[in-house]
């Protein structure tokens, strides 16, 4: 009987295990192996070495690209959360329950637009002859157009617009799980609205904030399109540097090593996020 149950279990788990091995484990092993090769003289030397990782640790250009990526993504996470929390709070506690689904739907509608189209739309808005500069010049607030496009500001602004809805949804879901009797009980006991928010609502909603911040980080850290289109490629981020290794130099081993560095960074952020979520559940 035990042997039969074991066989049935493998039958049920087998397809999912096979898909995981073929679509995840095998490609990951290939990327790791490729990162240990070397690109020399226009050919790939398949002798295993750590030369690519040594270069990652010593090349100042790669260091600067990684630092730029972390700074841009950090700003994106901060401002996305700063915008998403009030929006989620208003939807959860100020919008009537029967209208919340519709408001959330309208909030998510921009995600249905092509990502590339949205990037070019921001480029048109921020360009020197774009909507913002024309409006400011028409109002007499500025004389010459100001530079907004092809800057870090443009990249962060576009990122925040793209990913703020992710944080909004996760924070909203966390806020909706807070028992309504807790804030009411606190107010009955004399707590001010500020104390209710800082001691009940905010702590209980932090898991949603953490999840939204992590998802935003994951989506932004590997993004190539937005910095290239809206940022104009003036500030080199690690995904752009990775693409340069593939498209111009054909250095797949170094590109694989960069991809693994991004993966390690994401894994480290996940571990920190998971730890915070565990702490929140214990409170």
């Amino acid at each position: 009987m035990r042997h039969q149950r074991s066989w049935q279990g493998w039958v049920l788990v087998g397809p999912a295990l096979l898909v995981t091995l073929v679509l995840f484990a095998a490609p990951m092993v290939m990327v790791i192996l490729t990162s240990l090769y070397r690109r020399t003289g226009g050919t790939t030397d398949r002798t295993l070495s750590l030369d690519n990782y040594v270069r990652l640790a010593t090349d100042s250009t790669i260091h600067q690209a990684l630092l730029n990526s972390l700074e841009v993504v950090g700003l994106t996470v901060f401002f996305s959360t700063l915008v998403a929390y009030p929006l989620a709070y208003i939807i959860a506690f100020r919008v009537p329950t029967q209208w919340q689904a519709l408001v959330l739907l309208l909030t998510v509608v921009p995600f249905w637009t092509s990502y590339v189209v949205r990037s070019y739309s921001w480029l048109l808005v921020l360009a020197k002859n774009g909507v913002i500069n024309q409006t400011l010049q028409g109002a007499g607030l500025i004389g010459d157009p100001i530079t907004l496009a092809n800057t870090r500001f443009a990249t962060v602004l576009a990122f925040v617009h793209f990913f703020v809805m992710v944080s909004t949804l996760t924070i909203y879901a966390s806020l909706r799980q807070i028992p309504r009797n807790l804030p009411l009980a606190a107010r009955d006991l004399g707590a001010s609205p500020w104390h209710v928010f800082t001691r009940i609502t905010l702590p209980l909603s932090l898991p949603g904030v953490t999840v939204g911040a992590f998802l935003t980080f994951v989506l932004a850290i590997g993004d190539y399109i937005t910095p290239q289109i809206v940022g104009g490629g003036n500030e080199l981020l690690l995904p752009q540097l990775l693409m340069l290794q593939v498209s111009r130099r054909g250095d797949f081993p170094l590109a694989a090593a960069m991809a693994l560095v991004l993966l390690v960074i994401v894994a480290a952020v996940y571990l920190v996020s998971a730890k915070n979520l565990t702490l929140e559940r214990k409170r």
Side-chain angles (χ1 to χ4, degrees):
M1 180 65 69
R2 182 179 300 177
H3 176 73
Q4 182 178 2
R5 290 180 179 177
S6 176
W7 179 81
Q8 291 175 346
W10 279 109
V11 170
L12 295 174
V13 175
L17 182 61
L18 180 62
V19 170
T20 302
L21 290 174
V22 173
L23 299 182
F24 179 77
M28 182 60 63
V29 171
M30 293 175 62
V31 172
I32 294 173
L33 287 176
T34 302
S35 71
L36 298 175
Y37 300 155
R38 290 180 299 174
R39 182 73 174 176
T40 56
T43 60
T44 300
D45 181 2
R46 297 182 180 274
T47 303
L48 300 183
S49 70
L50 296 176
D51 288 356
N52 292 319
Y53 294 98
V54 172
R55 182 175 176 184
L56 290 177
T58 58
D59 194 316
S60 59
T61 301
I62 298 176
H63 293 171
Q64 188 60 48
L66 177 58
L67 180 61
N68 291 340
S69 294
L70 293 177
E71 289 177 350
V72 168
V73 173
L75 290 171
T76 300
V77 171
F78 175 77
F79 286 109
S80 294
T81 304
L82 198 64
V83 173
Y85 199 99
L87 179 57
Y89 186 92
I90 292 172
I91 297 174
F93 298 129
R94 295 293 182 264
V95 176
T97 304
Q98 63 271 23
W99 294 104
Q100 289 183 10
L102 177 60
V103 173
L104 285 174
L105 178 63
L106 295 176
T107 303
V108 180
V109 162
F111 278 97
W112 297 351
T113 307
S114 169
Y115 192 76
V116 176
V117 170
R118 281 183 286 164
S119 296
Y120 277 110
S121 298
W122 271 114
L123 189 61
L124 293 175
V125 171
L126 299 173
K128 287 189 175 182
N129 59 344
V131 175
I132 294 179
N133 274 309
Q134 288 184 355
T135 302
L136 293 176
Q137 286 179 304
L141 298 177
I142 59 174
D144 298 324
I146 56 179
T147 302
L148 296 174
N150 302 330
T151 62
R152 174 178 290 193
F153 166 78
T155 301
V156 173
L157 180 62
F159 270 156
V160 171
H161 171 248
F162 296 161
F163 303 134
V164 70
M165 292 303 103
V166 175
S167 294
T168 300
L169 292 176
T170 59
I171 296 172
Y172 168 82
S174 189
L175 290 172
R176 289 292 296 171
Q177 293 178 3
I178 299 176
R180 294 298 180 93
N181 59 344
L182 291 181
L184 294 176
R187 291 176 184 175
D188 288 341
L189 293 174
S192 65
W194 174 250
H195 284 98
V196 172
F197 174 75
T198 56
R199 297 186 181 182
I200 296 177
T201 305
L202 181 59
L204 292 177
S205 62
L206 282 181
V209 174
T210 304
V211 172
F214 173 70
L215 292 176
T216 301
F217 182 92
V218 171
L219 293 172
I221 191 68
D223 193 294
Y224 167 79
I225 296 176
T226 300
Q228 189 67 25
I229 295 177
V230 183
N234 290 332
E235 186 177 46
L236 194 62
L237 305 185
L238 195 58
Q240 294 172 292
L241 186 60
L242 189 155
M243 289 298 297
L244 287 175
Q245 305 306 316
V246 174
S247 61
R248 294 188 180 181
R249 300 187 64 232
D251 195 343
F252 289 93
L254 182 58
M258 291 181 182
L260 288 176
V261 168
L262 286 176
L263 183 61
V264 169
I265 293 174
V266 171
V269 173
Y270 168 76
L271 292 176
V272 173
S273 302
K275 181 180 179 180
N276 290 339
L277 286 174
T278 302
L279 292 175
E280 289 300 325
R281 292 193 189 99
K282 290 180 179 179
R283 289 183 178 180

